Amino acid sequence: MAACAGPRAPRPPFLLLLLLLLLLLLGGCEASLPPEPPPPPPPPPSPEPEPQPLPESALQKPTVLLAIIARNAAHTLPHFLGCIERLHYPKSRIALWVATDHNVDNTTAILREWLKNVRNLYHDVEWRPMEDPQSYPEEIGPKHWPSSRFTHVMKLRQAALRAAREKWSDYILFIDADNLLTNPQTLNLMIAENKTLVAPMLESRSLYSNFWCGITPQGYYKRTLDYPLIREWKRTGCFAVPMIHSTFLIDLRKEASTKLMFYPPHQDYTWSFDDIMVFAFSSRQAGIQMFICNHEHYGFLPMPLKSHQTLQEETENFVHTLIEAMIDRPPIEPSQYVSVPLKNPDKMGFDEIFMINLKRRKDRRDRMLRTLYEQEIAVKIVEAVDGKALNTSQLKALSIDMLPGYRDPYSSRPLTRGEIGCFLSHYYIWKEVVNRELEKTLVIEDDVRFEHQFKRKLMKLMDDIEQAQLDWELIYIGRKRMQVQEPEKAVPNVVNLVEADYSYWTLGYAISFQGAQKLIGAEPFGKMLPVDEFLPVMYNKHPVAKYMEYYESRDLKAFSAEPLLVYPTHYTGQPGYLSDTETSTIWDNETVSTDWDRTHSWKSRQQGKIHNDAQNKDALPSQSSLNMPSSRDEL
């Protein structure tokens, strides 16, 4: 067996086997895994978008030449120019064309100052001052319009129109230097109407405005039914009319506008030689319709004056325009680019002027203070007693009790705390009058509007009363006349004064030292009724006899201005109306509210129509002394 077996193969060295095993353990596991797949290729780049065109910019505003012709306008220019500055229209698209001449005031200096300060704001400025002469040879005063003045104004307007055409202006806006464009969008709105010849309707204290609805064959104003409907916004829109004036816009891009002329008058013109009539005829001959727009409230203009009136009267006229504009709108601020002289308020010859105002009625206080300042009237503010803040304990401390049996004549409600607050406000003024021994005092409430030339008229009335040596104790300057069946008795030797009959309201009145003593001496706290019912009791004119029985002495000497000099800013039902006396609580029960304004506030309604036979005609000047209207007065 041993012989048959072959020789044995040699064994690998032990160390070699061990080395192979170690290599297998160290590297064999990795080697056994499959290789990682290669990363995916990056996505192909997306194609770049094609460049988009840039959007077109908006069109620039049309170019406008603003033509200003001013004469003796120093009193109007600060506010007029302020309105021009506040127009929401790019000033770089407006050219100014300004002319002035025949001045006796500092109109030229004001315009020069303004143009110097704003010339870099506007596209272009053309300045045409003429220092001399100061008047036209044939004129009788600065408000007189002789034919030479009409000719000169028409030539100036034609020169402005020619300048606008030469500058390739798109529009020309003519605006009189006493017109106040209080709506800053006016220019944009008129352009948007797309009319060749269009005007924004302007407001005045009467029906007067800057348009006519009718015209006679001779070219004069003709009354129509449409006019008051448009003027009072009973119809709104943009209306075709035969005449617009004072402020109007011409679209010079319209082909027919090339035929418009201010001077010389059209060869067929035969009407009166008047600038607005000449232009209306030119418009008609050119086939251009005039339009007046009243979609919105655009601004104000003063009433025209008569030929014989003075610059002082014109100043008072313009001031009244300013204060009327403040009743429902913010004050019209003057230009920031001209110097405005300070006013010098005074007391109009009274020892004191009290203005009653609730502390929480800051809006009324601010309006009244600005209104009085514009009229140069100095007042002392009296903080009114707020009826809403009165409580039962305060009423008991003052020993206040309602007059037995008192009921409001229309709503049958008792006294309100608002009415008590109103009474106390007036009562404390009477106390101050007595304590300071004031001989002549004026009291006004904070919700009044003033008659035209209020200051002049009241001062004249008080002077006439003094000259007549009238023994007076109370003079209404604002009231609601309740006795309307027969006229009140006129006061001899004093025009515009009557003996007061039964009246409501304490809007404004003058009171003497003796009058205040009588009112306080009546000891009204324990038998209180509304103050405007108390006063007629004290002068023995109250229709309810049982009320007067509680007041033994009823000999207050009471009178009233005729016509009245102040009125309520708002009447019942009008926007902005609010009564702090009637909207309150019952005097002895603060849990019972009263809000009678909507249905029962007859006290606060506008003065009813007084029958012709009951008019206080004897207190008015004779017709021969009244100013007759001039040919330029539309209404």
Side-chain angles (χ1 to χ4, degrees):
M1 291 291 295
C4 293
R8 301 177 63 179
R11 293 183 175 182
F14 176 77
L15 291 176
L16 180 60
L17 291 174
L18 185 63
L19 179 61
L20 290 173
L21 180 63
L22 181 63
L23 289 173
L24 183 63
L25 291 173
L26 290 176
C29 290
E30 286 188 16
S32 67
L33 296 174
E36 293 185 6
S46 57
E48 291 190 10
E50 295 184 11
Q52 296 295 318
L54 295 174
E56 289 291 326
S57 63
L59 290 173
Q60 293 191 81
K61 290 280 191 179
T63 57
V64 180
L65 185 137
L66 200 159
I68 301 171
I69 300 172
R71 184 195 179 195
N72 293 324
H75 57 288
T76 71
L77 283 174
H79 294 88
F80 165 80
L81 296 172
C83 291
I84 296 299
E85 296 162 17
R86 290 186 289 272
L87 288 174
H88 288 179
Y89 202 88
K91 292 179 172 55
S92 61
R93 306 294 288 173
I94 297 177
L96 299 175
W97 190 96
V98 184
T100 187
D101 54 76
H102 296 85
N103 296 305
V104 296
D105 63 6
N106 60 335
T107 293
T108 303
I110 294 172
L111 286 172
R112 184 177 285 115
E113 178 188 15
W114 184 70
L115 291 172
K116 177 182 177 182
N117 291 328
V118 304
R119 65 181 311 116
N120 293 330
L121 302 177
Y122 290 90
H123 172 71
D124 184 52
V125 172
E126 185 171 342
W127 172 225
R128 298 176 58 135
M130 187 171 76
E131 300 289 352
D132 292 309
Q134 293 186 335
S135 62
Y136 294 91
E138 63 271 43
E139 75 177 6
I140 61 175
K143 301 310 300 175
H144 181 219
W145 280 80
S147 59
S148 57
R149 181 174 181 180
F150 281 122
T151 300
H152 184 68
V153 168
M154 286 188 279
K155 287 181 177 179
L156 287 176
R157 291 188 185 275
Q158 184 64 32
L161 181 59
R162 182 170 57 250
R165 287 167 172 161
E166 291 174 352
K167 295 177 187 295
W168 298 98
S169 298
D170 295 315
Y171 293 87
I172 181 169
L173 175 66
F174 286 96
I175 175 168
D176 285 357
D178 57 0
N179 290 194
L180 300 169
L181 296 182
T182 54
N183 186 334
Q185 294 295 340
T186 298
L187 184 52
N188 287 316
L189 293 170
M190 292 301 102
I191 289 174
E193 292 294 340
N194 193 29
K195 308 292 187 187
T196 307
L197 199 44
V198 64
M201 188 185 79
L202 303 180
E203 307 166 46
S204 74
R205 68 174 185 269
S206 73
L207 283 178
Y208 176 75
S209 188
N210 58 321
F211 72 101
W212 300 355
C213 274
I215 196 166
T216 69
Q218 295 76 33
Y220 290 107
Y221 176 81
K222 179 182 179 182
R223 291 184 181 275
T224 65
L225 296 176
D226 291 331
Y227 184 90
L229 297 176
I230 297 172
R231 173 62 184 84
E232 296 177 331
W233 293 278
K234 294 175 181 176
R235 290 175 55 199
T236 58
C238 210
F239 303 97
V241 293
M243 168 72 78
I244 56 177
H245 60 86
S246 300
T247 294
F248 52 90
L249 182 74
I250 304 175
D251 187 345
L252 299 177
R253 303 170 305 171
K254 299 290 182 72
E255 183 176 335
S257 72
T258 60
K259 302 175 184 178
L260 286 172
M261 290 186 67
F262 291 94
Y263 190 86
H266 191 276
Q267 60 183 5
D268 297 329
Y269 184 79
T270 58
W271 295 347
S272 177
F273 197 66
D274 182 298
D275 61 321
I276 65 174
M277 295 166 68
V278 166
F279 186 64
F281 189 87
S282 172
S283 170
R284 177 183 299 185
Q285 296 303 111
I288 297 174
Q289 178 63 61
M290 291 180 163
F291 288 89
I292 189 73
C293 296
N294 70 346
H295 290 292
E296 299 190 20
H297 291 260
Y298 302 103
F300 300 85
L301 80 170
M303 290 285 292
L305 269 64
K306 312 297 187 295
S307 296
H308 64 274
Q309 291 184 279
T310 65
L311 285 182
Q312 177 59 34
E313 290 175 289
E314 186 174 50
T315 298
E316 294 165 350
N317 199 31
F318 185 75
V319 166
H320 191 259
T321 302
L322 291 177
I323 64 178
E324 282 288 286
M326 278 189 273
I327 289 175
D328 292 309
R329 297 171 183 82
I332 302 174
E333 300 296 344
S335 167
Q336 59 180 313
Y337 297 108
V338 297
S339 306
V340 181
L342 294 176
K343 294 180 178 287
N344 298 299
D346 58 56
K347 298 178 182 178
M348 301 188 292
F350 290 95
D351 298 317
E352 190 64 88
I353 303 176
F354 295 101
M355 194 267 283
I356 301 173
N357 168 254
L358 280 169
K359 187 176 183 179
R360 57 185 166 89
R361 296 287 182 220
K362 183 179 182 300
D363 55 335
R364 292 182 176 181
R365 180 168 62 253
D366 291 346
R367 182 194 72 83
M368 279 293 290
L369 288 177
R370 182 67 176 267
T371 296
L372 291 161
Y373 176 77
E374 292 293 347
Q375 297 177 94
E376 299 190 77
I377 299 172
V379 300
K380 177 181 179 180
I381 298 175
V382 175
E383 186 175 325
V385 177
D386 195 339
K388 288 188 175 181
L390 290 173
N391 56 47
T392 302
S393 60
Q394 289 173 311
L395 299 183
K396 289 182 178 179
L398 291 170
S399 300
I400 290 176
D401 201 352
M402 187 179 73
L403 184 141
Y406 171 75
R407 286 293 182 270
D408 180 86
Y410 300 105
S411 66
S412 296
R413 59 158 173 78
L415 194 67
T416 70
R417 296 201 178 185
E419 288 170 331
I420 293 176
C422 181
F423 195 112
L424 292 175
S425 302
H426 287 271
Y427 182 87
Y428 293 145
I429 289 176
W430 305 335
K431 291 279 288 186
E432 183 170 343
V433 168
V434 172
N435 292 340
R436 291 173 56 188
E437 299 183 351
L438 303 176
E439 289 296 328
K440 187 168 62 172
T441 299
L442 184 67
V443 181
I444 54 175
E445 295 181 341
D446 65 357
D447 56 349
V448 303
R449 68 196 307 162
F450 294 88
E451 174 66 2
H452 173 240
Q453 293 184 322
F454 166 79
K455 184 175 183 179
R456 174 196 291 259
K457 291 175 180 176
L458 180 55
M459 291 180 69
K460 183 181 186 306
L461 177 62
M462 299 309 294
D463 286 344
D464 290 348
I465 289 171
E466 186 173 350
Q467 290 292 324
Q469 297 183 336
L470 179 68
D471 185 14
W472 66 274
E473 292 169 337
L474 179 81
I475 301 172
Y476 288 105
I477 63 169
R479 61 169 178 156
K480 180 178 181 179
R481 181 180 162 193
M482 299 303 295
Q483 187 284 106
V484 295
Q485 286 73 42
E486 55 188 47
E488 295 167 304
K489 185 179 178 181
V491 177
N493 303 318
V494 182
V495 179
N496 301 124
L497 193 70
V498 296
E499 295 181 10
D501 211 316
Y502 182 40
S503 304
Y504 273 162
W505 299 344
T506 49
L507 298 171
Y509 58 89
I511 189 166
S512 70
F513 174 76
Q514 292 80 8
Q517 280 185 316
K518 284 186 179 181
L519 297 177
I520 293 170
E523 299 180 347
F525 281 17
K527 45 194 174 182
M528 186 174 286
L529 66 170
V531 66
D532 60 350
E533 301 265 23
F534 170 67
L535 293 179
V537 167
M538 291 301 294
Y539 58 81
N540 204 38
K541 291 291 187 179
H542 202 288
V544 183
K546 66 178 182 179
Y547 295 171
M548 295 197 290
E549 292 173 1
Y550 289 90
Y551 292 92
E552 183 176 350
S553 178
R554 302 188 302 274
D555 60 351
L556 186 73
K557 299 178 179 68
F559 303 88
S560 176
E562 179 65 40
L564 297 170
L565 299 177
V566 297
Y567 301 88
T569 55
H570 304 89
Y571 295 98
T572 303
Q574 291 182 334
Y577 170 75
L578 179 65
S579 170
D580 289 304
T581 55
E582 296 187 48
T583 305
S584 183
T585 58
I586 296 300
W587 80 278
D588 58 351
N589 189 343
E590 56 192 290
T591 66
V592 180
S593 297
T594 60
D595 186 2
W596 307 96
D597 296 343
R598 308 299 182 266
T599 56
H600 294 296
S601 55
W602 294 89
K603 274 191 179 184
S604 303
R605 295 188 179 181
Q606 191 168 359
Q607 172 72 63
K609 183 174 178 61
I610 300 174
H611 191 273
N612 187 60
D613 293 339
Q615 299 283 345
N616 293 326
K617 298 176 183 177
D618 292 344
L620 303 177
S622 63
Q623 287 297 316
S624 60
S625 65
L626 296 177
N627 298 329
M628 299 304 292
S630 70
S631 61
R632 285 181 63 87
D633 289 345
E634 287 75 22
L635 289 171

